């Protein structure tokens, strides 16, 4: 098993994506099936990689020979798992799209070639991001993934909200990317290599550069993984077609930030403030966005906030050094969040609205969707047996063990709120009396099969903790501190922790109270007073960004007054500028006149 | 090897100059029949010049500098790596812009003047590189500038190009005179204007004299050449000129002419730095660079005219390039070669990114008869052959991989961080500027590509000739190639960067 | 350093600044062109002076003649542009020709 297979895994969907427009010219009907085949092959290839994980010494392809930049790839468990998740969920999403997009794109006059091409390009880029060892190459794929996200969010281009959402996502993640860029440069200069493996092997760079790099990586994670306060792009990204929300904004791209932090953890763990900062950002995000999910009325936006919250869990785990817990929750979350989004797609399609307060009573009419969503919701809430319970509690337990008790407490409180908001979602959508007269029915097989597959996965994926952790422990260097864990060990570790028992008890009590007082609670959350009001306004973070953008535009307007169009003014500018240059040279040129 | 030298040094320049003359004569002789012919002939001469330049590449990479003295002891021309770089980039872009203009100007008469002037302009660009003494460089600089004035004001019947051309000419002339003023002071102290001779001559004059004259002469030259290089506050001519010129000329101006102005500035400052003084232009230029990029990006935010927006973006790009060269010259006195590599690579990439963007804007203008973004909503969907290259070029300008803008950004920022101290702050400012620039790049993409084109198609969109489409695609293709395989661009950039680095001491 | 401010150089500097003042303050385009020319002549005077002090009159002569030539060409082109401005605008005062702005 060589690195070539990994490179093929990256190139295959990308080349497939480039061929989509040609296929579409040829015969529109087979575009979707062609894309499905490409996605299936990609997924199977990724499984092959899992079966053959080794820590492979990267070979280099010279890119900028004169500066010593070689493109290298690394097939270790950390990357291959992320790649496999991307390929697997990508395949299921494309399967779902073959039915879903017919209704939502073709009939509305949006071209499908662009959709499938961008989705395949995205899958390839995400795999490339995970399997690349050269940090510059990771950045290149990182940006490509961001571009695909922008293009797909703005897919329904006739809706100005979609275009705005895509632009906002691009710009805000770009702010994070700026941090990543500076980190790359700092690491490159400090360790004299661009290969991540090389960086881990060489002596650490000097303090200032390392600190800059650490801060940059954290900023990158905040941008890409929608952490507070850069979380505002994710809800607006929900204008994308729902399968895309499932793929990009739940299961793959948003994980890139967490993946980067986990990958570079050994580099930065030595910095005194870094682990604490990362854990702080993660825990804070988890809590704040959980509140935002609790008061949100739009189903997809609530799921988006929930994604931010869960990513906060993962980020805290990574910051605490619990790479196994972080990755495990990454996989679990990808499964159940994608499941929830795809169910949401079916629901929204049936009911015709995204507002949860206009739904209700769908449990009888959409049985399969009901069951799937219920399983996904229970996984999200962390109810035992489902994968979310095991991975989330593993995260909490690791955070406590690493010494961040304050963060652990925040995460426990967040878990309680998670139970509340996820149950609220389920209740508003599926229970009670129907608030809309639309005829709702279960989706057709094309859409239902992914739901069933993901629901089963949510129920049983946790059983694979043994081989999952073995793979990680074997292929990562000891600096990652990953140890193998068998199924029984995990059960023991999770179930018999006092923290877990306390939180489990609280959950039960909370669930009971919530159920009994459900109507009062729901109406309380609809009000416009106090804390609820603040949450519904997103704690005014969005308004802050709007204000900043407005100020910048205003600055542009005022700066524009220097273009008076008058020749004399222009020439005066020349004279003044000349004087300014002379003064500047005097001040900083290092010379003395006379 | 006098023959070899003669050919390599003189042939490209000769081809361009004689090409201008021949094109004009043929155009006047054949009148209407020869309209398409003149464009083809001009392009042929340019291609021949490019061919000769590229054939000299292996020798220059090996370290040879073919040179010729036209008047023994006097005018010397040499094909040093910097000249090769300028020539390749300039002539290359002129071929693309020239072919594009064949169709763009097909309704005009007297196109022989256009192509003759175009070739003269490129001859000036190449000459700036070839010249080995400052006055010669000034002469070629003026050739380039004077040729470009009528090109900007080509449509003499309309008020916009005429007004813009007038302002451009006035500012450029004032700037050139200022620069020459600085050169004259230098002549006084050094007695020679030969690039290699100024340094040693100044050393003889003594340290305090050196400092003051370098400051005055250097300052005047920065101001003078800065007009052409679009450094703020000398930039005010640019938005008008680049937005109303014929689009092929806008591409040339933004793509190579202002960059040639910047190279002329660096070339003028080169001799002043090796004379054992501790004068550092780096920090001053870096500050002006930040001012330039910020003003360019901010004012671009409010533009609704597509070409004017691109013109302000050019000002911002010049800021990035100037910052790169400032790193190369050394902020704390220590020159960093990577700064020069980044700056030169950005010049190369910019020729195709910005040139391509202007060619696309020209195609939009051709199709819809307007430059206003609000009146061309969805044009990219009606003309995908222009829309997709436009997206590529604009994303490249914002530094997105895998296009060329990312590669040069990588080099420039790494050079800055290596410089340390203030360098880190300057890099952060540059990156913030790039994020700000997204604030107008993305909305332009949104307006052009993410709007319904049906309303526009209904009002009638003139089909864009295939030749123009082909040139646009070639430009966009180059931005991809230069980004994916940097070695291609580095073939001409690395020797030039090493050459420049040799001038600025690494203390 | 004292050399720099010896008589002739003061003269050329004054002429240059006069030209500069002219281009900034005059509204008539032709007058601005004249101002640019005045600056150009100041530069030429500077070269002559420099050549004299450097005892390198031949090179100075060559430079001066070329500079005069270039100045003449620039004036010709600028005047042609002003003629075109007049054709389009019916006026050659700077405030009448300030329509491109912002």
């Amino acid at each position: 098993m060589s690195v070539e297979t990994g490179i093929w895994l990256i190139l295959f969907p990308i080349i497939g994506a480039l061929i989509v427009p040609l296929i579409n010219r040829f015969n529109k009907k087979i575009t979707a099936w062609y894309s499905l085949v490409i996605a299936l092959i990609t997924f199977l290839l990724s499984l092959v990689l899992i079966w053959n994980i080794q820590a492979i010494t990267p070979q280099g392809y010279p890119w900028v020979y004169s500066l010593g930049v070689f493109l290298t790839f690394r097939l270790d468990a950390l990357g291959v798992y992320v790649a496999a998740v991307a390929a697997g969920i990508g395949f299921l999403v494309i399967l779902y799209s073959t039915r879903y997009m017919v209704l939502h794109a073709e009939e509305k006059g949006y071209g499908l070639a662009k959709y499938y091409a961008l989705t395949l390009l995205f899958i390839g880029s995400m795999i490339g991001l995970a399997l690349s060892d050269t940090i510059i190459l990771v950045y290149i794929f990182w940006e490509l993934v961001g571009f695909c996200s922008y293009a797909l969010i703005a897919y329904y281009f006739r809706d100005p909200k979609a275009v705005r959402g895509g632009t906002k996502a691009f710009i805000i993640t770009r702010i994070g990317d700026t941090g990543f860029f500076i980190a790359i440069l700092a690491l490159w200069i400090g360790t004299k290599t661009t290969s991540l493996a090389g960086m881990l092997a060489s002596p650490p760079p000097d303090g200032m550069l390392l600190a800059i790099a650490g801060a940059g990586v954290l900023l990158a994670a905040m941008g890409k993984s929608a952490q507070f306060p850069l979380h505002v792009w994710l809800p607006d990204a929900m204008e994308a077609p729902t399968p895309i929300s499932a793929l990009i904004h739940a299961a793959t791209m948003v994980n890139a930030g967490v993946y980067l932090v986990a990958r570079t953890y050994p580099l930065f763990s030595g910095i005194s403030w870094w682990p604490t900062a990362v854990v702080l950002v993660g825990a804070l995000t988890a809590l704040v966005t959980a509140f935002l999910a609790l008061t949100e009325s739009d189903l997809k936006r609530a799921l988006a906030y929930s994604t931010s919250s869960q990513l906060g869990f993962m980020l805290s785990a990574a910051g605490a050094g619990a790479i196994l817990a972080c990755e495990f929750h990454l996989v679990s979350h990808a499964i159940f969040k994608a499941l929830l989004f795809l169910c949401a797609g079916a629901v929204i399609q049936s009911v015709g609205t995204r507002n949860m307060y206009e739904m209700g009573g769908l449990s009888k009419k959409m049985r399969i969707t009901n069951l799937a969503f219920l399983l996904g919701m229970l996984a999200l809430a962390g109810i035992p047996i489902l994968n979310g319970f095991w991975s989330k509690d593993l995260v909490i337990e690791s955070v406590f063990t690493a010494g961040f008790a304050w963060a652990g407490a925040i995460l426990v409180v967040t878990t309680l709120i998670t139970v509340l908001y996820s149950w609220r979602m389920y209740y508003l959508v599926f229970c009670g009396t129907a608030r809309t007269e639309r005829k709702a029915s279960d989706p057709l097989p094309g859409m239902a099969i992914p739901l069933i597959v993901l629901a089963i996965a949510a129920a049983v994926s946790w059983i694979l903790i043994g081989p999952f952790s073995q793979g990680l422990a074997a292929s990562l260097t000891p600096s990652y501190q990953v140890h193998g864990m068998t199924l029984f060990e995990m059960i023991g570790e999770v179930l018999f922790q006092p923290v877990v028992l306390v939180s489990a008890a609280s959950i039960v009590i909370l669930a009971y109270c919530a159920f009994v007082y459900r109507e009062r609670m729901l109406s309380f959350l609809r009000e416009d007073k106090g804390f609820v009001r603040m949450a519904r306004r997103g704690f005014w973070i969005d308004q802050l960004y709007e204000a900043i953008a407005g100020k910048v535009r205003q600055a542009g307007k005022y700066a524009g007054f220097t273009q008076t169009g008058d020749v004399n003014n222009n020439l005066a500018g020349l004279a003044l500028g000349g004087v300014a240059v002379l003064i500047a040279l005097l001040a900083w040129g290092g010379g003395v006149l006379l | 090897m006098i023959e070899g030298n003669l050919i390599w040094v003189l042939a490209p320049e000769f081809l361009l100059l004689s090409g201008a003359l021949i094109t004009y004569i043929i155009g006047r002789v054949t009148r209407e029949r020869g309209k398409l012919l003149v464009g083809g002939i001009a392009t042929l001469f340019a291609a021949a010049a490019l061919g000769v330049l590229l054939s000299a590449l292996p020798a220059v990479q090996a370290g040879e500098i073919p040179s010729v003295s036209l008047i023994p002891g006097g005018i010397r021309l040499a094909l040093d790596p910097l000249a090769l770089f300028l020539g390749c980039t300039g002539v290359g872009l002129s071929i693309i812009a020239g072919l594009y203009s064949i169709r763009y100007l097909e309704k005009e008469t007297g196109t022989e003047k256009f192509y003759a002037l175009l070739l003269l302009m490129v001859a000036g660009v190449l000459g700036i590189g070839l010249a080995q003494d400052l006055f010669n460089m000034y002469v070629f600089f003026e050739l380039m500038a004077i040729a470009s004035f009528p090109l900007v004001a080509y449509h003499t019947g309309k008020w916009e190009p005429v007004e813009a051309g007038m302002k451009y000419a006035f500012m450029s002339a004032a700037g050139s005179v200022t620069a020459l003023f600085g050169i004259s002071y230098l002549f006084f102290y050094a007695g020679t204007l030969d690039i290699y001779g100024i340094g040693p001559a100044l050393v003889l004059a003594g340290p305090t004299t050196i400092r003051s004259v370098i400051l005055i002469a250097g300052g005047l030259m920065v101001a003078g050449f800065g007009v052409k290089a679009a450094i703020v506050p000398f930039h005010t001519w640019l938005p008008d000129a680049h937005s109303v010129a014929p689009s092929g000329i806008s591409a040339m101006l933004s793509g190579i002419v202002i960059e040639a102005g910047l190279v002329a500035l660096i070339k003028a400052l080169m001799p002043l730095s090796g004379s054992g003084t501790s004068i550092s232009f780096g920090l001053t230029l870096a500050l002006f660079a930040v001012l330039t990029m910020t003003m360019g990006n901010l004012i671009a935010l409010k533009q609704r005219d597509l070409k004017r927006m691109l013109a302000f973006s050019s000002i911002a790009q010049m800021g990035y390039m100037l910052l790169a060269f400032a790193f190369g010259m050394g902020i704390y006195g220590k020159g960093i070669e990577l700064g020069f590599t980044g700056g030169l690579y950005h010049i190369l990439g910019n020729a195709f990114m910005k040139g391509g963007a202007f060619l696309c804007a020209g195609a939009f203008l051709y199709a819809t008869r307007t430059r206003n973004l609000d009146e061309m909503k969805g044009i990219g969907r009606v003309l995908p052959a222009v829309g997709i290259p436009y997206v590529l070029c604009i994303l490249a300008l914002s530094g997105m991989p895998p296009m060329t803008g990312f590669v040069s950004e990588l080099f420039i920022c790494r050079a800055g961080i290596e410089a340390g101290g203030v360098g880190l702050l300057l890099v952060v400012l540059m990156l913030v500027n790039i994020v700000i620039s997204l604030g107008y790049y993305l909305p332009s993409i949104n307006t052009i590509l993410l709007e319904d084109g049906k309303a526009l198609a209904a009002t009638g969109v003139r089909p864009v000739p295939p030749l123009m489409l082909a040139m646009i695609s070639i430009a966009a293709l180059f931005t991809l190639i230069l980004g994916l395989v940097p070695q291609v661009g580095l073939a001409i950039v690395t020797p030039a960067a090493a050459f420049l680095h040799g001038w600025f001491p690494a203390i | 350093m004292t050399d720099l401010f010896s008589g002739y150089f003061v003269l050329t500097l004054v002429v240059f600044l006069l030209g500069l003042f002219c281009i900034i303050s005059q509204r008539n385009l032709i007058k601005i062109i004249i101002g640019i020319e005045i600056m150009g002549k100041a530069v030429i005077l500077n070269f002559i002076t420099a050549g004299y002090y450097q005892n390198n009159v031949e090179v100075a002569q060559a430079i001066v003649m070329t500079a005069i030539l270039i100045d003449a060409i620039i004036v010709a082109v600028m005047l042609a542009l002003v003629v075109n401005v007049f054709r389009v605008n019916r006026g050659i005062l700077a405030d009448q020709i300030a329509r491109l702005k912002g």
Side-chain angles (χ1 to χ4, degrees), chain B residues 95-321:
Chain B
I95 294 175
I96 297 178
L99 284 173
Y100 176 94
S101 301
I102 294 181
R103 279 280 171 222
Y104 192 80
L105 297 173
E106 57 189 353
K107 297 255 167 52
E108 314 270 337
T109 55
T111 49
E112 70 273 358
K113 301 188 204 94
F114 181 88
Y115 289 104
L117 287 169
L118 183 63
L119 285 178
L120 283 177
M121 193 167 74
V122 181
V125 169
L126 178 56
I128 291 178
L130 289 176
Q132 295 301 302
D133 69 277
L134 287 184
F135 186 71
N136 242 323
M137 185 182 81
Y138 172 79
V139 171
F140 281 112
F141 182 84
E142 284 296 87
L143 172 63
M144 174 182 84
I146 297 175
S148 64
F149 302 152
L151 284 174
V152 168
Y154 190 69
H155 300 288
T156 48
K158 306 198 199 141
W159 65 269
E160 279 184 330
V162 165
E163 180 181 324
M166 178 271 289
K167 288 190 213 164
Y168 172 36
F170 281 31
M171 279 210 80
S172 177
S176 303
V177 158
T178 314
L180 193 59
F181 199 47
I183 293 178
S184 69
Y185 275 123
L186 213 49
F187 179 58
F188 169 63
Y189 278 103
T192 170
L193 287 176
D194 187 291
I195 292 183
Y196 296 91
I198 292 181
L202 280 179
V203 173
L204 288 174
T208 31
T209 350
I210 292 180
R211 284 195 180 141
S212 40
V213 82
I214 287 177
L215 282 177
I216 299 177
L220 284 169
M221 287 193 290
V222 167
F225 289 120
V227 170
K228 197 45 146 262
I231 302 177
V232 171
F234 315 111
H235 67 291
T236 37
W237 59 273
L238 196 149
D240 304 332
H242 288 211
S243 52
V244 304
S247 300
I249 296 303
S250 297
M252 284 296 290
L253 282 178
S254 274
I256 192 64
V257 170
I258 51 179
E259 284 81 359
L262 183 59
V263 172
L265 173 60
I266 302 298
K267 205 157 163 172
L269 294 178
M270 258 167 31
L272 302 183
S273 61
S275 43
T277 70
S278 60
I279 301 291
S280 169
F281 291 97
L283 193 53
T284 313
L285 289 180
L287 293 170
F288 275 95
V290 171
L291 181 62
T292 307
M293 57 173 86
T294 312
M295 285 292 279
N297 278 322
L298 282 182
I299 309 183
L301 286 172
K302 63 176 272 210
Q303 302 303 322
R304 298 319 299 159
D305 176 333
L306 177 59
K307 285 180 74 172
R308 205 172 164 87
M309 181 192 94
L310 289 174
F312 276 109
S313 160
S314 285
I315 297 180
Q317 298 292 328
M318 291 312 291
Y320 304 146
M321 289 178 224

Side-chain angles (χ1 to χ4, degrees), chain B residues 474-492:
Chain B
I474 292 181
L477 196 63
F478 265 108
T479 63
L480 266 178
I481 294 179
L482 287 172
L484 284 170
V485 193
Q487 290 298 140
V488 170
L490 283 175
I492 54 173

Side-chain angles (χ1 to χ4, degrees), chain A residues 270-434:
Chain A
I271 308 179
S272 55
W273 51 267
W274 194 80
T276 316
V278 173
V279 171
L280 176 64
V281 169
L284 189 62
T285 305
L287 187 64
V288 170
T289 49
F291 279 122
L292 292 172
L294 193 56
T295 54
E296 179 60 55
S297 59
D298 180 318
L299 176 57
K300 284 182 73 174
R301 284 178 72 102
L303 287 173
Y305 282 125
S306 160
T307 306
S308 276
S309 183
Q310 294 302 305
L311 287 166
F313 274 86
M314 288 179 231
L315 196 64
S316 305
I323 307 295
L324 172 59
C326 171
E327 278 289 289
F328 195 48
H329 196 55
L330 195 151
V331 173
S332 299
H333 173 259
I335 295 175
F336 66 68
K337 195 44 77 58
L339 172 63
L340 285 170
F341 267 108
L342 293 182
C343 291
V347 166
I348 295 173
Q349 173 181 282
S350 284
V351 178
T353 172
R354 276 164 48 180
N355 189 334
M356 288 191 283
Y357 290 118
E358 291 169 19
M359 301 178 192
L362 292 174
S363 55
K364 306 259 180 341
K365 303 182 201 163
M366 301 177 74
R367 291 185 186 279
I368 301 181
T369 316
N370 177 37
L371 191 56
F373 193 96
L374 181 62
L375 281 174
M377 186 278 282
L378 291 174
L380 172 58
I383 305 299
I385 304 301
L386 294 160
N387 63 1
F389 165 71
W390 301 105
S391 57
K392 196 188 297 188
D393 282 308
L394 204 56
V395 164
I396 296 181
E397 183 252 316
S398 318
V399 167
F400 269 106
T401 323
F404 296 98
W406 52 271
I410 296 181
L411 291 179
V412 168
V413 171
T414 312
T415 316
L416 299 179
I417 303 180
T418 309
V419 171
L420 281 179
Y421 75 64
S422 40
W423 178 87
R424 168 181 176 258
M425 266 193 279
Y426 175 72
Y427 184 77
L428 280 175
V429 173
F430 287 98
C431 305
T433 51

